[in-house]
Amino acid sequence: MSAPLALLQLVSPALPVGAFSYSEGLEVLVQRGQLASPQDVGDWLEAELRLGVVRLETAALEPMQQCLQQWPTGADAAAEAQLRDLDGWLLAQREALELRQQQRQMGRSLLQLLAELGWPLPDGALDLSWPAAWCWAGCCLGVEPQALRQGYLFSWVANQISAAVRLVPLGPTQGQRLQLALAPVIDGQAKALAGVDPHQLWSSGVGAGVAQLQHAELYSRLFRS
């Protein structure tokens, strides 16, 4: 399979990892009336792309992919330890228990899928979270780092818009307008984060973190986070 087709398969909404069941705090913001229009949703997503935790995860993709390329061959005994350290650090950036559970569940589901398709991780490891699992998918499917960053951000935005279409609500056409409008931001961030040490970045997504923490307290809800 060519790398572009492989990336399309990876970002497909048909990928069976359960992403459709999470809102990552959007449900709280919508119930409060803070996200009540397409403009509100677009502004929120752009702010998260530029300033949120997703930036740190995106910057970490290339070093994690390098570790994964070394781990299966045994070329570097420290590769697995380095990968797990970075994976754990990224998980710790997620303040809400629901978000950490989301990262673990989606990562486990993707690794199980890849194993069933013939690409198991060494030693049958299935405990990596979503960004690391995404990197392993990139290794298996031959997706280079720049495309992997673009796909990661595109997929995150698409999942958030999918939640917003059901919550705000937005029409599907407006959702597609938002995805198109955010494409330059996705591309720019994917390029800007190339070669950047994620440990040197910061996140100012305090509002997102608070919304994610409060999701568990909602009286009624559609989503798991």
Side-chain angles (χ1 to χ4, degrees), residues 49-50 55 58 146 149-150 153 181-194 196:
L49 284 169
R50 296 188 184 279
R55 291 171 64 246
T58 304
Q146 176 64 13
R149 287 189 294 273
Q150 289 174 324
L153 292 171
L182 289 168
V185 183
I186 291 171
D187 188 53
Q189 288 295 90
K191 291 175 180 175
L193 293 169
V196 175

Side-chain angles (χ1 to χ4, degrees), residues 52-210:
V53 175
V54 70
R55 291 171 64 246
L56 280 65
E57 293 174 349
T58 304
L61 296 179
E62 188 169 0
M64 286 197 293
Q65 192 176 33
Q66 291 170 352
C67 290
L68 282 163
Q69 287 168 342
Q70 296 171 354
W71 179 7
T73 65
D76 183 355
E80 179 182 356
Q82 184 179 350
L83 172 70
R84 291 190 180 280
D85 181 70
L86 187 50
D87 183 60
W89 179 79
L90 288 174
L91 202 59
Q93 305 309 307
R94 299 291 190 170
E95 299 96 336
L97 174 62
E98 288 187 342
L99 264 291
R100 295 194 296 274
Q101 291 173 336
Q102 172 186 336
Q103 296 292 80
R104 290 190 180 101
Q105 179 272 303
M106 289 176 58
R108 183 170 59 253
S109 295
L110 182 54
L111 291 174
Q112 287 174 338
L113 173 65
L114 292 167
E116 290 168 3
L117 293 174
W119 293 300
L121 266 177
D123 304 320
L126 288 173
D127 58 342
L128 298 177
S129 63
W130 175 244
W134 181 271
C135 289
W136 180 240
C139 292
C140 298
L141 297 170
V143 181
E144 54 88 19
Q146 176 64 13
L148 201 67
R149 287 189 294 273
Q150 289 174 324
Y152 190 84
L153 292 171
F154 179 93
S155 180
W156 179 81
V157 168
N159 288 329
Q160 290 285 278
I161 290 175
S162 176
V165 165
R166 287 170 280 171
L167 287 167
V168 174
L170 308 176
T173 300
Q174 186 58 58
Q176 290 302 301
R177 286 196 184 101
L178 283 176
Q179 189 84 50
L180 284 170
L182 289 168
V185 183
I186 291 171
D187 188 53
Q189 288 295 90
K191 291 175 180 175
L193 293 169
V196 175
D197 180 357
H199 292 99
Q200 300 304 311
L201 297 175
W202 47 269
S203 167
S204 64
V206 177
V210 171

